[in-house]
Amino acid sequence: MIGLSRRAATAPRPGAMPPTDFPAALLRHPSGRWGLALCLLLLGAAAAGPWLAPHPPNLPDYAATLRPPGPGHWLGTDAMGRDQLSRLLDGARRSLGGAAAVTAAITLVGLLVGSLAALSGRWIDAALMRLVDVVMALPGLIVAFGVLGLLGPGYLNLLIALAAADWAYKARIARACALEAVRSPAAMVAREIGVPEWRVLAQHVLPSVLWPLLVLATLGLGGQIAAISAFSFLGLGVQVPHAEWGAMLAESRFHFQIAPWLLLAPALCIFVAVLASNLLGEALRDIATPEARS
Amino acid sequence: MNGSRFAGARGWPRALGRIGLQAGLAALGASVLVWAMLPLAPGDPVDMILAARRIEEPTAAQIAELRARFGLDLPLWQRYLHWLGGVLRGDLGLSWRTGEPVAEALLRRLPATLQLVGLSLAVSVVWSLALALIAVRWAGRWPDRLVMAYTRVFAAIPAFVLALLVLQFVVVGLGLGRVLSGGAGITLVLAAVVLGIDRAAGWTQLLRATLAEQMARGPADVARARGAREARILAVIALPPALLPWLTALGISVGGLIGGAPVLETIFTWPGVGAYLLQALSVRDVPVIQAFVLIAVLAYVAVSSSVDALALLIDPRLRAPREGRA
């Protein structure tokens, strides 16, 4: 349900590099254009949230509870009289920012573990890869439940749990790409003409590991947004009184009959955010693996 | 999951044995990780047990009794073996919160969850198979585009959001609320349909892509040249090879179904492990969480090994030694 297990998604082949006209290729791709536009819109709204929000997100107003959308409160108010638009904008920072943080963390861990395995000796490589095998044999969502159970509920703990659930596949891909790049003709020639090893790594190996990881990261972004909101919906992530789209859905449930806007607006936000990152991810994947384009 | 793991296997018995061995190793590796939750849990377990039971000022005797009861004074490897021995005998430890055996509490609730997971698996298999076949039969025309748009939309709606919308707009809207409150069969059907339909989106996309690929390959062209109808080519020539990657994906995402079940159970108030697990999570009742993770992982390993075994049945090349392959 939460998309962590969609890790079977096609990964770019080791050695694949972004096309030279990368930004143009992204804009040419139909879903890339839309995905990018929607993502920028959402990120802009989240970043500018404090300035855009008409009211403080956590300030109750018991004189104006469950107001329908209208002037003053464009998207209505919740059961405590808090302005829904302001809470959605504030929640975007946790829903989207959290997903971005988790994705950045697993990409970094994947990069470090994968490159370490690829570049170090047999024993470290074997040990790291067996660990990766075991973690990958566990379903991501279940790992997240387990880690969250260890750490206890909370927003930061949720982010750690989601990162722990999803780093292994990235590490495996990073290792494969790094192995390929270290042995590539370009890297060998560079070494041959006396380029120091750190420059070979920085100029030849790093880019060819980063690009597939970037594609994978974007493909996984939607799943992370969904996971953060799902766990927060269960009360295991963002804690009251802070706003988060999933947590807002949980609060809205009991007032749905009289205030359906409280349910619809956060649901729509989650939908648009996941859709936008899926579109962007699919576009990047198509650009990265032109032969697999359907 | 790919063919290379069967390299060197000769025929059925060895290939099956290899799958069994790998499943056993995965289960053993997972058991170490799951067990490690206990010593890894931050804080002294005794403090956590006391906190889970809301005992504020324990006596020294209480602490010593808890240490002995939960075996906290033994060295780590002994604790692991002790724990593993217990698991093999069906003893999953005692809940820190209630002190009752975890295995009993989980077993009481597990059948309801398994019903939900099983039914939603069936729903999503049938639904994604039907949608993908429709899409490829009329590839590029409006049914295909409709299916693709549908999968895009549903891939972007998390199951819990879909469940909320269905519950609030369909169930309450149609006045079915009274029917649901009894925990009746209709709750199960609704929850399973929601979970299954949510899963089906990704599987439809995958199956459609592989089916389309098969339809563009040599065997399909030959059949077309000999005058076979498109529907027949689709069912007889394209479907069998396309089933294989789809089955593998099914096996992998069963983990997602098991993990998604607690959320749906909460929303539809289905009496499975969901509520029990959530209570345990909110007070960090580690043995309960541990048991849930262990059962989920074992179920997942069992399903994905069965899928691998089924793949052997479908594709004889996987049974053959590697040199024999084209």
Side-chain angles (χ1 to χ4, degrees), chain B residues 192-276:
Chain B
V193 166
V194 168
L195 191 55
I197 282 186
D198 185 76
R199 273 280 121 178
W203 296 352
T204 309
Q205 287 175 343
L206 179 73
L207 186 59
R208 177 191 166 277
T210 40
L211 272 178
E213 200 179 294
Q214 291 296 333
M215 289 298 275
R217 288 181 47 162
D221 280 338
V222 171
R224 225 169 262 134
R226 295 176 64 183
R229 284 180 302 119
E230 281 294 298
R232 194 178 154 76
I233 300 174
L234 186 60
V236 177
I237 294 175
L239 189 58
L243 279 180
L244 205 56
W246 181 63
L247 267 180
T248 311
L250 275 176
I252 290 174
S253 47
V254 161
L257 277 180
I258 301 173
V263 192
L264 280 245
E265 286 172 7
T266 312
I267 295 174
F268 286 101
T269 56
W270 180 247
V273 293
Y276 186 58

Side-chain angles (χ1 to χ4, degrees), chain B residues 78-257:
Chain B
Q78 275 189 21
R79 279 167 66 186
Y80 171 68
L81 289 182
H82 191 251
W83 177 83
L84 189 65
V87 168
L88 292 178
R89 287 193 310 271
D91 172 14
L92 292 171
L94 303 175
S95 160
W96 286 357
R97 184 168 56 95
T98 60
E100 67 171 336
V102 176
E104 276 175 32
L106 269 182
L107 274 183
R108 261 203 315 278
R109 297 168 171 90
L110 205 57
T113 297
L114 287 181
Q115 278 178 339
L116 175 60
V117 171
L119 195 59
S120 56
L121 188 63
V123 167
S124 50
V125 164
V126 171
W127 189 229
S128 60
L129 190 60
L131 284 183
L133 285 174
I134 289 172
V136 177
R137 174 66 188 79
W138 289 281
R141 307 235 297 273
W142 66 266
D144 187 18
R145 272 187 234 122
L146 194 67
V147 168
M148 285 312 280
Y150 165 87
T151 56
R152 274 253 160 74
V153 168
F154 274 74
I157 306 180
F160 82 98
V161 175
L162 186 64
L164 277 178
L165 295 175
V166 165
L167 190 66
Q168 311 293 29
F169 288 98
V170 180
V171 177
V172 178
L174 293 178
L176 292 172
R178 295 281 302 273
V179 182
L180 280 188
S181 56
I186 183 132
T187 317
L188 173 65
V189 172
L190 259 178
V193 166
V194 168
L195 191 55
I197 282 186
D198 185 76
R199 273 280 121 178
W203 296 352
T204 309
Q205 287 175 343
L206 179 73
L207 186 59
R208 177 191 166 277
T210 40
L211 272 178
E213 200 179 294
Q214 291 296 333
M215 289 298 275
R217 288 181 47 162
D221 280 338
V222 171
R224 225 169 262 134
R226 295 176 64 183
R229 284 180 302 119
E230 281 294 298
R232 194 178 154 76
I233 300 174
L234 186 60
V236 177
I237 294 175
L239 189 58
L243 279 180
L244 205 56
W246 181 63
L247 267 180
T248 311
L250 275 176
I252 290 174
S253 47
V254 161
L257 277 180

